[in-house]
């Protein structure tokens, strides 16, 4: 048996690693010290042309299988590590066979969950990780991939432009199907709950889990998160006669699930009807405020920013999907935001800050259209808002503190089961 | 604990014509260790997954105990899938590593401790319960992982190639452990493998599958002695049974320039099927030197007490590769031609059209 390298582009450097030595015994000067997750295989990091790669020792059949699966996932655009090569036919110095090695490119700036916890042990970190994992999980299921061993250890986390993204790193037990049966999805979820809860219990045993996080309910919540997101993402929405309300509603629900809009895709069925698919992502704290200020110059609180950005995104989907985001944002400020804010009479303008007024007008529009079951022109909404809501509020601009803080803008659950 | 029944169970993958599992009928007894074996694509894993609830069942039913589980979710079937993925948690004790699933399921502490201790006794892990996994050897870690499945006390264990990921030495070791553990626990177990040696050494009974169809389900001994068709004959046994065509004669069959005696009822059955030729099979280990078939030797592999002789014999359809086992202390030489007989009662005869065994 001779050494064989399977790779899309085989780097000759690959041949010069000490393949006749078990990975565990590779010399320290060759190995890069990086945090490693729990693994049932020996894993080491090395540099190839300056880029860090992970090398995992595993039987040849499994190495090749995982290599192919990772390539497929990359092709399908699922966040996963990139497979570089499989080295097989390894023999040690006594002529005994050694397992094959699967080589993957290390994901830059990514961290295993243990490292995330030890650097930012905040209670909501656990929730963010789970949301990111859930999103990855749902995406994998939607392309017919059953993971069979979904866990925090088999995932890497990366902060990406404010978003918290989860990447699949271990596809060893995974299977690609044309689509998944309910049984396959349920089993995968049960396994994930068991794994994730076990991992959090382990963090707890090691003193790394914030005291306020109880692994069991947090782990169990994965199921609900998953099911809601699955239902949400697998259900496209139909817009008729340019009525934006269903889209706005849809985005509200996505926010309530803890996710943000990553993109909106719209297809016309005919002149009057469009089908819209909304993508989801998980973002880090402060992300919305930063994005809104970049796009519009409006400096507002995080939750207000999220609400405004959702409105902007859905405005963009119906009024200029092919234009540059900044241009549409500028138009949105003048046509939507300022139109609403300037419609408020001067004597009432002190009652709330502009972003909050805009947010409340959006809420009111939703409330009215639910009540009256029709599409309501914005002028009508503003008039109704001013007389029904704003006129009855105290002046907040002169009050101490910030009563228009986060609690006011938190939305209440509206999901109808 | 429970018996498991597949009743006309069928699975057809969308977009395919041929069922992945076709009308499977198997009754697995309470406490039995059943191995599903066959080449890749034979439907063995699909069958296991139908039992687990991971594949929808397109026809027929599956029962666990008295319950029809055909349409139940995996978690409601009271089964434990034992996969090869065994990650142990480094900061948790061995006891917690074994019992954490029970904690998640909300079982009371006393019950968890009792179940963990019971499993640890079986697995020889009692003295390690309060240690961390780091302190354990590779084999002990495997046993902790098995302990995780055991403490759940399922009705049925399902194992899909659980050893394929281990190196050869650990594989043989773990194979023995799983088999003896299963016998002590007495939990009905369905085990999938492509490795017929694993199947034969572990199973109370072995079900051989090919192309989605059950070929034979029997004890390892019967599969070896009485394969019901040519496929099973060739699949079970290592090195494989020699299979070649032979003429039907008055008192036996003729191959390699020799007549081999075959019982009258087998010959009668061959004639009643209108066969002038049959497929015969003989195992390498069922041969002795004598005056029978001529084998031209190409290569001899001496393994100590035994030697395997690789050669060819003349059949009705030209030369056929043949392997026989001989005395390793007096092996014949490559280039020689030797004559061999099949030991009495060790010739297998099959219908050359259908592959079925003649004379049950």
């Amino acid at each position: 048996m001779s050494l064989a390298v399977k790779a899309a582009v085989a780097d000759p450097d690959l041949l010069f690693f000490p393949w006749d030595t078990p990975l565990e015994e590779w010399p320290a000067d060759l190995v890069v010290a990086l945090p490693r997750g729990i693994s049932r295989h020996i894993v080491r990091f090395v540099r190839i042309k300056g880029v860090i790669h992970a090398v995992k020792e595993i039987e040849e059949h499994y190495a090749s299988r995982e290599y192919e699966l990772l390539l497929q996932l990359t092709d399908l655009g699922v966040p996963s590590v990139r497979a570089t090569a499989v080295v097989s036919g390894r023999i040690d110095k006594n002529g005994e066979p050694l397992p094959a090695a699967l080589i993957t490119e290390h994901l830059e700036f990514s961290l295993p969950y243990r490292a995330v916890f030890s650097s930012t042990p905040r209670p909501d970190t656990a929730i963010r990780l789970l949301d990111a994992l859930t999103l990855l999980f749902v995406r994998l299921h939607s392309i017919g991939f059953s993971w069979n061993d979904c866990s925090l250890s088999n995932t890497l986390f990366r902060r990406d432009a404010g978003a918290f993204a989860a990447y699949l790193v271990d596809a060893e037990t995974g299977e690609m199907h044309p689509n998944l049966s309910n049984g396959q999805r349920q089993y995968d979820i049960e396994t994930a709950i068991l794994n994730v809860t076990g991992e959090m219990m382990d963090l707890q045993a090691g003193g790394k889990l914030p005291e306020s996080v109880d692994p069991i309910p947090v782990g169990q919540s994965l199921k609900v998160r998953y099911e809601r997101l699955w239902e949400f993402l697998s259900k496209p929405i139909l817009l008729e006669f340019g009525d934006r309300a269903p889209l706005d509603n849809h985005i509200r629900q996505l926010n309530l699930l803890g996710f943000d809009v990553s993109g909106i895709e719209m297809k016309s069925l005919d002149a009057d009807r469009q089908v819209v698919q909304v993508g989801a992502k998980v973002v880090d704290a402060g992300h919305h405020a930063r994005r809104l200020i970049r796009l519009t110059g409006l400096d507002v609180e995080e939750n207000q920013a999220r609400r405004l950005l959702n409105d902007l995104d859905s405005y963009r989907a119906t009024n200029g999907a092919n234009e540059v985001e900044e241009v549409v944002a500028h138009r949105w400020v003048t046509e939507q935001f300022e139109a609403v804010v300037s419609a408020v009479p001067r004597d009432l303008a002190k009652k709330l800050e502009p972003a909050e007024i805009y947010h409340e007008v959006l809420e009111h529009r939703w409330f009215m259209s639910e009540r009256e079951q029709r599409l309501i022109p914005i002028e009508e909404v503003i008039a109704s808002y001013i007389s029904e809501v704003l006129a009855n509020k105290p002046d907040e601009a002169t009050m101490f503190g910030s009563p228009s803080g986060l609690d006011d803008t938190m939305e209440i659950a509206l999901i109808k089961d | 604990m429970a018996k498991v029944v597949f009743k006309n169970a069928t699975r057809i993958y969308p977009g395919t014509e041929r069922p992945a599992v076709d009308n499977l009928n198997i009754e697995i007894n309470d406490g039995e260790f059943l191995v599903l074996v066959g080449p890749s694509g034979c439907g063995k894993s699909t069958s296991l997954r139908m039992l687990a609830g991971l594949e929808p069942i397109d026809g027929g039913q599956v029962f666990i105990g008295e319950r029809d589980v055909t349409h139940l979710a995996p978690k409601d079937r009271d089964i434990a899938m034992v996969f090869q993925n065994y990650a142990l948690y480094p900061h948790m004790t061995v006891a917690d590593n074994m019992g954490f699933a029970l904690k998640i399921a909300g079982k009371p502490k006393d019950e968890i401790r009792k179940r963990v201790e019971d499993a640890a006794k079986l697995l020889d892990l009692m003295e390690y319960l309060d240690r961390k996994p780091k302190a354990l050897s590779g084999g002990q870690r495997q046993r902790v992982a098995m302990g995780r499945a055991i403490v759940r006390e399922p009705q049925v264990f399902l194992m899909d190639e659980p050893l394929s990921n281990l190196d050869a030495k650990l594989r043989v070791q773990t194979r023995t452990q799983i088999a003896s553990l299963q016998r002590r626990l007495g939990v009905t177990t369905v085990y999938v493998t492509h490795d017929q040696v694993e199947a034969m050494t572990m199973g109370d009974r072995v079900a051989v599958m090919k192309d989605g169809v059950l070929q034979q389900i029997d004890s390892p001994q019967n599969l070896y002695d009485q394969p019901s068709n040519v496929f099973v004959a060739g699949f079970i046994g290592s090195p494989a049974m020699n299979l070649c065509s032979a003429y039907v004669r008055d008192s036996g069959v003729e191959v390699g320039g020799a007549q081999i005696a075959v019982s009258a009822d087998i010959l009668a059955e061959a004639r009643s099927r209108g066969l002038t030729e049959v497929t015969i099979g003989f195992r390498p280990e069922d041969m002795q030197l004598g005056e029978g078939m001529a084998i031209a030797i190409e290569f001899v592999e001496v393994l100590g007490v035994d030697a395997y002789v690789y050669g060819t014999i003349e059949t009705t359809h030209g030369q056929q590769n043949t392997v026989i086992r001989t005395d390793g202390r007096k092996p014949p030489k490559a280039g020689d031609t030797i004559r061999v007989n099949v030991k009495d009662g060790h010739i297998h005869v099959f219908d050359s059209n259908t592959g079925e065994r003649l004379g049950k």
Side-chain angles (χ1 to χ4, degrees):
Chain A
M1 201 159 55
S2 56
L3 200 66
V5 177
K6 174 155 90 175
V9 185
D11 190 319
D13 286 8
L14 274 176
L15 288 171
F16 297 97
F17 284 99
W19 296 118
D20 60 353
T21 308
L23 196 50
E24 219 172 352
E25 295 164 20
W26 279 20
D29 58 347
L30 203 63
V31 171
V32 184
L34 271 180
R36 298 197 294 260
I38 304 175
S39 179
R40 52 193 172 276
H41 300 287
I42 307 290
V43 178
R44 292 290 181 270
F45 297 98
V46 296
R47 257 179 235 282
I48 303 172
K49 294 258 190 305
V51 179
I52 297 177
H53 285 72
V55 183
K56 171 164 89 168
E57 243 173 23
I58 173 172
E59 293 299 319
E60 207 257 323
H61 166 74
Y62 286 90
S64 295
R65 198 173 156 280
E66 190 172 357
Y67 174 79
E68 300 294 341
L69 273 176
L70 287 175
L71 288 188
Q72 250 179 307
L73 291 178
T74 305
D75 281 350
L76 289 166
V78 177
S80 54
V81 292
R82 282 170 187 275
T84 306
V86 173
V87 176
S88 57
R90 296 172 62 204
I91 291 172
D92 73 6
K93 292 179 177 96
N94 304 318
E96 294 293 318
L98 289 171
L102 172 69
I103 302 162
T104 51
E105 204 176 306
H106 176 65
L107 198 61
E108 256 193 313
F109 305 116
S110 67
L111 288 170
Y113 74 101
R114 281 171 191 279
V116 177
F117 271 98
S118 54
S119 60
T120 52
R122 290 205 317 252
D124 72 332
T125 306
I127 305 300
R128 293 277 151 126
L129 286 186
L130 279 197
D131 282 340
L133 182 65
T134 308
L135 186 55
L136 172 64
F137 204 28
V138 166
R139 283 182 74 177
L140 287 166
H141 281 183
S142 68
I143 58 159
F145 182 89
S146 65
W147 199 337
N148 299 327
D149 195 19
C150 169
S151 66
L152 294 169
S153 314
N154 287 340
T155 312
L156 279 177
F157 296 90
R158 178 151 87 163
R159 288 176 207 274
D160 199 355
F164 221 151
Y167 286 71
L168 176 142
V169 276
D170 189 324
E172 200 180 306
T173 50
E175 289 163 21
M176 196 64 97
H177 300 269
N179 47 54
L180 296 184
S181 69
N182 283 338
Q184 283 166 336
R185 291 194 300 113
Q186 282 170 9
Y187 174 76
D188 223 8
I189 299 165
E190 296 299 326
T191 312
I193 291 175
L194 204 62
N195 286 342
V196 169
T197 313
E199 287 163 333
M200 284 193 292
M201 286 175 165
D202 189 52
L203 284 172
Q204 197 174 43
K208 293 281 190 215
L209 197 69
E211 272 178 24
S212 59
V213 177
D214 183 345
I216 293 177
V218 173
Q220 298 285 4
S221 72
L222 190 65
K223 192 182 174 76
V224 184
R225 281 165 208 281
Y226 169 89
E227 276 166 1
R228 288 189 179 158
L229 189 64
W230 173 265
E231 195 193 336
F232 182 87
L233 291 180
S234 52
K235 182 180 66 183
I237 39 173
L238 188 69
L239 297 188
E240 291 186 69
F241 314 113
D243 176 10
R244 258 179 57 174
L247 178 59
D248 291 340
N249 252 332
H250 199 65
I251 294 174
R252 284 170 67 96
Q253 289 189 19
L254 184 67
N255 290 161
L256 289 172
L257 300 181
F259 296 92
D260 283 274
V261 176
S262 68
I264 300 178
E265 203 177 300
M266 183 141 73
K267 269 190 225 142
S268 289
L269 292 180
D270 51 46
D272 292 329
R273 294 182 312 150
Q274 294 141 328
V275 172
V276 181
Q277 188 88 47
V278 175
K281 68 175 174 186
V282 179
V283 304
D284 209 356
H287 166 74
H288 302 99
R290 289 193 296 272
R291 183 174 161 221
L292 189 71
I293 205 167
R294 178 175 63 79
L295 285 173
T296 64
L298 295 169
D299 187 3
V300 303
E301 297 291 336
E302 178 69 4
N303 278 346
Q304 292 169 337
R306 176 193 242 189
R307 190 75 179 87
L308 264 52
L309 283 166
N310 283 341
D311 189 61
L312 168 57
D313 285 337
S314 110
Y315 172 83
R316 186 171 174 224
T318 42
N319 297 277
N322 300 320
E323 287 178 70
V324 181
E325 197 177 23
E326 282 76 3
V327 174
V328 183
H330 179 69
R331 209 162 66 221
W332 173 83
V333 171
T334 32
E335 285 179 15
Q336 302 282 307
F337 183 78
E338 284 175 357
V340 167
V341 173
S342 61
V344 175
R346 263 182 111 74
D347 57 321
L348 294 177
K350 281 185 195 159
K351 290 194 180 268
L352 283 178
E353 55 172 323
E356 193 61 19
I357 288 182
Y358 189 75
H359 160 70
E360 291 204 346
V361 169
L362 294 181
E363 288 294 284
H364 197 69
R365 178 175 70 189
W366 177 81
F367 168 73
M368 282 178 79
S369 57
E370 285 287 290
R371 187 176 60 188
E372 297 174 28
Q373 290 299 306
R374 66 183 176 102
L375 187 62
I376 313 213
I378 193 74
E379 298 76 20
E380 203 181 319
V381 176
I382 295 170
S384 160
Y385 170 76
I386 292 170
S387 62
E388 284 183 37
V389 183
L390 194 59
N392 303 321
K393 285 198 185 259
D395 285 357
E396 286 192 351
T398 55
M399 286 173 74
F400 289 106
S402 175
S404 67
L406 296 184
D407 288 348
D408 276 354
T409 54
M410 290 292 261
E411 298 174 9
I412 28 166
L414 281 159
I415 294 168
K416 293 173 194 128
D417 285 321
Chain B
M1 276 154 265
K3 71 176 197 173
V4 170
V5 178
F6 287 91
K7 195 170 169 191
N8 301 321
T10 298
R11 170 70 178 138
I12 305 170
Y13 284 114
T16 58
E17 302 257 308
R18 194 174 58 80
V21 173
D22 194 356
N23 260 302
L24 183 66
N25 284 294
I26 296 182
E27 281 203 24
I28 305 163
N29 301 319
D30 188 0
E32 187 177 14
F33 194 125
L34 180 88
V35 181
L36 294 171
V37 71
S40 155
C42 72
K44 57 187 187 299
S45 281
T46 308
S47 306
L48 185 87
R49 297 156 61 86
M50 287 160 79
L51 174 56
L54 299 180
E55 292 286 349
I57 294 165
D58 298 309
Q61 290 158 292
V62 175
F63 295 87
I64 296 176
E66 300 304 315
R67 284 196 309 160
D68 181 347
V69 299
T70 312
H71 302 293
L72 285 188
K75 69 173 171 47
D76 300 327
R77 295 190 180 203
D78 207 359
I79 46 162
M81 285 285 258
V82 185
F83 271 113
Q84 66 269 40
N85 46 327
Y86 294 146
L88 298 185
Y89 300 119
H91 299 102
M92 282 157 53
T93 61
V94 167
D96 286 342
N97 263 288
M98 281 165 68
F100 81 98
L102 299 178
K103 200 169 162 192
I104 295 172
K107 299 278 179 224
K109 264 191 180 152
D110 299 349
E111 189 185 338
I112 298 175
R113 188 70 199 178
K114 183 173 182 309
R115 287 205 206 174
V116 167
E117 282 181 1
D118 287 350
K121 275 178 209 147
L122 273 173
L123 294 162
D124 253 342
L125 290 169
M126 269 310 266
E127 57 183 302
Y128 301 100
L129 280 182
D130 296 318
R131 298 206 204 164
K132 302 281 165 67
K134 213 176 186 174
L136 305 183
S137 70
Q140 286 166 333
R141 288 181 201 185
Q142 287 282 333
R143 300 212 295 272
V144 175
M146 271 187 254
R148 275 188 188 167
I150 293 170
V151 298
R152 292 169 62 189
E153 298 180 354
Q155 300 247 34
V156 184
F157 280 130
L158 305 183
M159 307 193 194
D160 193 353
E161 306 248 6
L163 308 181
S164 51
N165 210 5
L166 305 179
D167 67 39
K169 202 172 124 199
L170 200 53
R171 191 153 62 220
V172 173
Q173 220 175 59
T174 315
R175 181 165 93 196
T176 319
Q177 277 173 5
I178 291 181
S180 76
L181 186 63
Q182 192 275 341
R183 263 129 211 153
R184 276 190 282 167
L185 285 168
V187 177
T188 314
T189 301
V190 184
Y191 185 104
V192 165
T193 179
H194 66 280
D195 179 345
Q196 58 94 16
V197 176
E198 214 167 282
M200 297 291 274
T201 51
M202 295 180 82
D204 292 322
R205 281 190 305 158
V206 176
V208 183
M209 295 185 72
K210 181 194 168 227
D211 296 338
V213 179
L214 177 65
Q215 304 291 309
Q216 185 172 0
I217 173 166
D218 227 322
S219 66
Q221 189 68 46
N222 284 346
L223 281 179
Y224 180 82
D225 288 338
Q226 304 271 317
S228 65
N229 60 38
V230 168
F231 175 77
V232 177
F235 189 76
I236 297 293
S238 177
M241 183 189 286
N242 297 291
L243 292 162
C244 59
S245 53
Y247 292 114
V248 177
R249 300 295 186 216
D250 289 346
S251 59
V253 294
E254 186 189 316
V255 67
Q259 290 250 352
I260 303 171
V262 167
S263 75
D265 51 325
I266 291 176
L267 290 174
E269 196 181 339
R271 283 189 206 102
S272 76
R273 292 179 180 226
L275 300 169
T276 54
E277 275 183 33
V278 288
T279 300
I280 61 161
F282 47 92
R283 296 198 182 276
E285 52 274 32
D286 292 336
M287 309 302 288
Q288 57 198 11
L289 294 173
E291 300 303 315
M293 293 178 283
I295 296 183
I297 303 173
E298 294 181 339
F299 177 69
V300 179
E301 187 180 46
V302 181
L303 301 170
V305 66
D306 295 323
Y308 285 102
V309 175
Y310 296 81
T312 55
I313 54 172
E314 286 295 332
T315 75
T316 54
H317 297 287
Q319 287 193 336
Q320 172 98 27
N321 290 329
T322 303
V323 186
I324 63 164
R325 191 177 76 185
T326 63
D327 187 343
R329 296 199 176 81
K330 291 175 284 180
K333 289 195 297 292
D336 288 357
T337 294
I338 52 169
R339 286 188 166 271
V340 294
N341 292 327
V342 183
K343 289 178 190 164
D344 274 354
H346 288 283
I347 180 97
H348 305 264
V349 184
F350 305 97
D351 184 322
S352 45
N353 299 322
T354 64
E356 286 169 283
R357 181 183 189 84
L358 300 183
K360 299 291 172 198

